[in-house]
Short mmCIF file of all heavy atoms in Angstrom, two decimals:
data_model
loop_
_atom_site.label_atom_id
_atom_site.label_comp_id
_atom_site.label_asym_id
_atom_site.label_seq_id
_atom_site.Cartn_x
_atom_site.Cartn_y
_atom_site.Cartn_z
N ILE A 164 -99.53 42.88 137.56
CA ILE A 164 -100.63 43.53 136.84
C ILE A 164 -100.19 43.84 135.41
O ILE A 164 -100.90 43.56 134.45
CB ILE A 164 -101.07 44.83 137.57
CG1 ILE A 164 -101.79 44.45 138.86
CG2 ILE A 164 -101.97 45.67 136.68
CD1 ILE A 164 -102.09 45.63 139.77
N VAL A 165 -98.98 44.36 135.28
CA VAL A 165 -98.46 44.69 133.95
C VAL A 165 -98.32 43.40 133.12
O VAL A 165 -98.70 43.36 131.95
CB VAL A 165 -97.10 45.42 134.06
CG1 VAL A 165 -96.51 45.66 132.69
CG2 VAL A 165 -97.29 46.73 134.79
N GLU A 166 -97.78 42.36 133.75
CA GLU A 166 -97.60 41.07 133.05
C GLU A 166 -98.93 40.54 132.53
O GLU A 166 -99.05 40.12 131.38
CB GLU A 166 -97.00 40.03 134.00
CG GLU A 166 -95.59 40.32 134.45
CD GLU A 166 -94.57 39.51 133.68
OE1 GLU A 166 -94.99 38.65 132.89
OE2 GLU A 166 -93.37 39.75 133.87
N VAL A 167 -99.92 40.54 133.41
CA VAL A 167 -101.23 39.99 133.03
C VAL A 167 -101.83 40.82 131.89
O VAL A 167 -102.35 40.26 130.92
CB VAL A 167 -102.18 39.96 134.25
CG1 VAL A 167 -103.60 39.64 133.82
CG2 VAL A 167 -101.70 38.94 135.26
N GLU A 168 -101.72 42.14 132.02
CA GLU A 168 -102.25 42.99 130.96
C GLU A 168 -101.56 42.69 129.62
O GLU A 168 -102.21 42.58 128.59
CB GLU A 168 -102.03 44.48 131.31
CG GLU A 168 -102.94 44.99 132.41
CD GLU A 168 -104.42 44.88 132.05
OE1 GLU A 168 -104.77 45.22 130.90
OE2 GLU A 168 -105.20 44.41 132.90
N THR A 169 -100.24 42.53 129.67
CA THR A 169 -99.50 42.25 128.45
C THR A 169 -99.93 40.91 127.85
O THR A 169 -100.16 40.80 126.64
CB THR A 169 -97.98 42.20 128.75
OG1 THR A 169 -97.65 43.34 129.52
CG2 THR A 169 -97.16 42.20 127.47
N MET A 170 -100.05 39.90 128.72
CA MET A 170 -100.46 38.58 128.21
C MET A 170 -101.86 38.63 127.62
O MET A 170 -102.14 38.04 126.59
CB MET A 170 -100.40 37.55 129.35
CG MET A 170 -98.99 37.09 129.68
SD MET A 170 -99.00 35.64 130.74
CE MET A 170 -98.97 36.38 132.34
N LYS A 171 -102.74 39.36 128.30
CA LYS A 171 -104.11 39.46 127.80
C LYS A 171 -104.14 40.16 126.44
O LYS A 171 -104.83 39.72 125.52
CB LYS A 171 -104.99 40.23 128.80
CG LYS A 171 -105.62 39.34 129.84
CD LYS A 171 -106.40 40.15 130.85
CE LYS A 171 -107.86 40.29 130.47
NZ LYS A 171 -108.64 40.94 131.54
N ASP A 172 -103.38 41.24 126.34
CA ASP A 172 -103.33 41.96 125.06
C ASP A 172 -102.78 41.06 123.97
O ASP A 172 -103.26 41.08 122.84
CB ASP A 172 -102.47 43.23 125.20
CG ASP A 172 -103.16 44.28 126.04
OD1 ASP A 172 -104.38 44.14 126.23
OD2 ASP A 172 -102.50 45.23 126.49
N ALA A 173 -101.73 40.29 124.34
CA ALA A 173 -101.14 39.40 123.35
C ALA A 173 -102.15 38.36 122.88
O ALA A 173 -102.21 38.02 121.70
CB ALA A 173 -99.92 38.70 123.94
N GLN A 174 -102.97 37.88 123.81
CA GLN A 174 -103.98 36.90 123.42
C GLN A 174 -105.09 37.54 122.59
O GLN A 174 -105.56 36.96 121.62
CB GLN A 174 -104.57 36.27 124.68
CG GLN A 174 -103.58 35.37 125.37
CD GLN A 174 -104.24 34.19 126.05
OE1 GLN A 174 -105.45 34.19 126.25
NE2 GLN A 174 -103.46 33.20 126.38
N LYS A 175 -105.50 38.72 123.00
CA LYS A 175 -106.54 39.42 122.25
C LYS A 175 -106.08 39.67 120.82
O LYS A 175 -106.86 39.60 119.88
CB LYS A 175 -106.89 40.75 122.92
CG LYS A 175 -107.82 40.61 124.09
CD LYS A 175 -108.16 41.99 124.64
CE LYS A 175 -108.72 41.90 126.04
NZ LYS A 175 -108.52 43.15 126.77
N SER A 176 -104.78 39.97 120.67
CA SER A 176 -104.25 40.23 119.32
C SER A 176 -104.35 38.98 118.44
O SER A 176 -104.34 39.08 117.23
CB SER A 176 -102.77 40.63 119.41
OG SER A 176 -102.61 41.65 120.34
N ARG A 177 -104.42 37.82 119.10
CA ARG A 177 -104.59 36.60 118.32
C ARG A 177 -105.98 36.02 118.53
O ARG A 177 -106.19 34.83 118.56
CB ARG A 177 -103.50 35.60 118.68
CG ARG A 177 -102.13 36.06 118.18
CD ARG A 177 -101.05 35.07 118.51
NE ARG A 177 -100.84 35.00 119.96
CZ ARG A 177 -100.39 33.93 120.58
NH1 ARG A 177 -100.13 32.84 119.91
NH2 ARG A 177 -100.21 33.95 121.87
N LEU A 178 -106.93 36.94 118.75
CA LEU A 178 -108.34 36.61 118.87
C LEU A 178 -108.70 35.76 120.09
O LEU A 178 -109.67 35.03 120.08
CB LEU A 178 -108.86 35.93 117.59
CG LEU A 178 -108.62 36.74 116.30
CD1 LEU A 178 -109.26 36.01 115.13
CD2 LEU A 178 -109.16 38.15 116.41
N GLY A 179 -107.90 35.86 121.13
CA GLY A 179 -108.30 35.26 122.39
C GLY A 179 -109.34 36.13 123.05
O GLY A 179 -109.65 37.21 122.55
N PHE A 180 -109.90 35.69 124.15
CA PHE A 180 -110.93 36.43 124.88
C PHE A 180 -112.06 36.86 123.96
O PHE A 180 -112.60 37.94 124.07
CB PHE A 180 -110.33 37.66 125.59
CG PHE A 180 -109.46 37.27 126.74
CD1 PHE A 180 -108.09 37.19 126.60
CD2 PHE A 180 -110.02 36.95 127.96
CE1 PHE A 180 -107.29 36.82 127.67
CE2 PHE A 180 -109.22 36.56 129.03
CZ PHE A 180 -107.87 36.50 128.89
N ASN A 181 -112.38 35.97 123.02
CA ASN A 181 -113.40 36.29 122.03
C ASN A 181 -114.55 35.31 122.24
O ASN A 181 -114.47 34.17 121.83
CB ASN A 181 -112.76 36.16 120.63
CG ASN A 181 -113.76 36.38 119.54
OD1 ASN A 181 -114.76 37.05 119.76
ND2 ASN A 181 -113.50 35.80 118.38
N GLY A 182 -115.57 35.77 122.90
CA GLY A 182 -116.67 34.86 123.20
C GLY A 182 -116.50 34.23 124.55
O GLY A 182 -115.44 34.31 125.17
N TYR A 183 -117.59 33.59 125.02
CA TYR A 183 -117.65 33.15 126.40
C TYR A 183 -116.67 32.01 126.70
O TYR A 183 -115.80 32.13 127.56
CB TYR A 183 -119.09 32.70 126.69
CG TYR A 183 -119.40 32.60 128.14
CD1 TYR A 183 -119.41 33.73 128.97
CD2 TYR A 183 -119.69 31.36 128.71
CE1 TYR A 183 -119.70 33.62 130.31
CE2 TYR A 183 -119.98 31.25 130.06
CZ TYR A 183 -119.99 32.38 130.85
OH TYR A 183 -120.27 32.27 132.17
N MET A 184 -116.78 30.91 125.95
CA MET A 184 -115.92 29.75 126.21
C MET A 184 -114.46 30.09 125.93
O MET A 184 -113.56 29.72 126.66
CB MET A 184 -116.35 28.55 125.35
CG MET A 184 -117.57 27.83 125.85
SD MET A 184 -117.57 27.59 127.65
CE MET A 184 -116.38 26.27 127.79
N ASN A 185 -114.29 30.81 124.84
CA ASN A 185 -112.94 31.23 124.46
C ASN A 185 -112.28 32.05 125.57
O ASN A 185 -111.11 31.89 125.88
CB ASN A 185 -113.05 32.04 123.16
CG ASN A 185 -111.68 32.35 122.57
OD1 ASN A 185 -110.77 32.71 123.29
ND2 ASN A 185 -111.54 32.21 121.27
N SER A 186 -113.07 32.91 126.21
CA SER A 186 -112.53 33.73 127.28
C SER A 186 -112.03 32.86 128.43
O SER A 186 -110.99 33.12 129.01
CB SER A 186 -113.58 34.68 127.81
OG SER A 186 -113.81 35.70 126.88
N PHE A 187 -112.83 31.83 128.75
CA PHE A 187 -112.42 30.92 129.82
C PHE A 187 -111.10 30.26 129.47
O PHE A 187 -110.21 30.15 130.29
CB PHE A 187 -113.49 29.84 130.05
CG PHE A 187 -114.50 30.26 131.09
CD1 PHE A 187 -115.82 30.44 130.77
CD2 PHE A 187 -114.08 30.48 132.40
CE1 PHE A 187 -116.73 30.84 131.72
CE2 PHE A 187 -115.00 30.88 133.36
CZ PHE A 187 -116.33 31.06 133.02
N ARG A 188 -111.03 29.78 128.22
CA ARG A 188 -109.81 29.09 127.81
C ARG A 188 -108.61 30.05 127.86
O ARG A 188 -107.55 29.72 128.38
CB ARG A 188 -109.98 28.53 126.39
CG ARG A 188 -109.23 27.22 126.19
CD ARG A 188 -109.46 26.64 124.79
NE ARG A 188 -110.87 26.50 124.44
CZ ARG A 188 -111.44 27.08 123.39
NH1 ARG A 188 -110.73 27.86 122.59
NH2 ARG A 188 -112.71 26.90 123.14
N SER A 189 -108.82 31.25 127.34
CA SER A 189 -107.74 32.24 127.33
C SER A 189 -107.29 32.58 128.74
O SER A 189 -106.11 32.62 129.05
CB SER A 189 -108.19 33.52 126.63
OG SER A 189 -108.64 33.24 125.34
N LEU A 190 -108.29 32.80 129.61
CA LEU A 190 -107.97 33.15 130.99
C LEU A 190 -107.18 32.03 131.64
O LEU A 190 -106.20 32.27 132.35
CB LEU A 190 -109.25 33.42 131.77
CG LEU A 190 -109.03 33.96 133.18
CD1 LEU A 190 -108.42 35.35 133.15
CD2 LEU A 190 -110.34 33.99 133.96
N GLY A 191 -107.59 30.81 131.36
CA GLY A 191 -106.89 29.65 131.91
C GLY A 191 -105.43 29.65 131.53
O GLY A 191 -104.55 29.47 132.39
N SER A 192 -105.15 29.90 130.27
CA SER A 192 -103.75 29.85 129.86
C SER A 192 -102.98 31.05 130.41
O SER A 192 -101.80 30.92 130.74
CB SER A 192 -103.62 29.76 128.34
OG SER A 192 -104.24 30.85 127.74
N VAL A 193 -103.65 32.19 130.56
CA VAL A 193 -102.96 33.33 131.18
C VAL A 193 -102.57 32.98 132.61
O VAL A 193 -101.44 33.22 133.05
CB VAL A 193 -103.86 34.60 131.17
CG1 VAL A 193 -103.32 35.65 132.14
CG2 VAL A 193 -103.94 35.18 129.77
N LEU A 194 -103.51 32.37 133.34
CA LEU A 194 -103.23 32.05 134.74
C LEU A 194 -102.14 31.00 134.86
O LEU A 194 -101.24 31.10 135.71
CB LEU A 194 -104.51 31.58 135.44
CG LEU A 194 -105.56 32.67 135.65
CD1 LEU A 194 -106.79 32.12 136.34
CD2 LEU A 194 -104.99 33.84 136.44
N ALA A 195 -102.20 29.98 133.98
CA ALA A 195 -101.18 28.93 134.02
C ALA A 195 -99.81 29.55 133.76
O ALA A 195 -98.84 29.28 134.46
CB ALA A 195 -101.49 27.86 132.99
N ASN A 196 -99.78 30.41 132.76
CA ASN A 196 -98.53 31.08 132.40
C ASN A 196 -98.02 31.92 133.57
O ASN A 196 -96.83 31.93 133.88
CB ASN A 196 -98.81 31.96 131.18
CG ASN A 196 -97.56 32.25 130.41
OD1 ASN A 196 -96.47 31.88 130.84
ND2 ASN A 196 -97.70 32.91 129.29
N LEU A 197 -98.96 32.60 134.21
CA LEU A 197 -98.60 33.47 135.32
C LEU A 197 -97.99 32.65 136.45
O LEU A 197 -97.06 33.08 137.13
CB LEU A 197 -99.83 34.21 135.82
CG LEU A 197 -99.56 35.37 136.77
CD1 LEU A 197 -98.80 36.47 136.06
CD2 LEU A 197 -100.85 35.92 137.33
N PHE A 198 -98.52 31.44 136.65
CA PHE A 198 -98.00 30.57 137.70
C PHE A 198 -96.52 30.27 137.46
O PHE A 198 -95.70 30.40 138.36
CB PHE A 198 -98.82 29.28 137.74
CG PHE A 198 -98.27 28.26 138.70
CD1 PHE A 198 -98.37 28.45 140.06
CD2 PHE A 198 -97.64 27.11 138.23
CE1 PHE A 198 -97.86 27.53 140.95
CE2 PHE A 198 -97.12 26.18 139.11
CZ PHE A 198 -97.23 26.39 140.48
#
Side-chain angles (χ1 to χ4, degrees):
Chain A
I164 289 171
V165 175
E166 293 260 354
V167 170
E168 288 299 316
T169 313
M170 283 193 269
K171 272 176 93 173
D172 289 344
Q174 290 213 344
K175 280 183 198 156
S176 309
R177 290 181 293 153
L178 306 184
F180 290 97
N181 176 25
Y183 197 66
M184 283 317 285
N185 188 317
S186 287
F187 269 116
R188 213 178 307 121
S189 304
L190 187 67
S192 59
V193 164
L194 291 180
N196 203 354
L197 193 65
F198 174 72

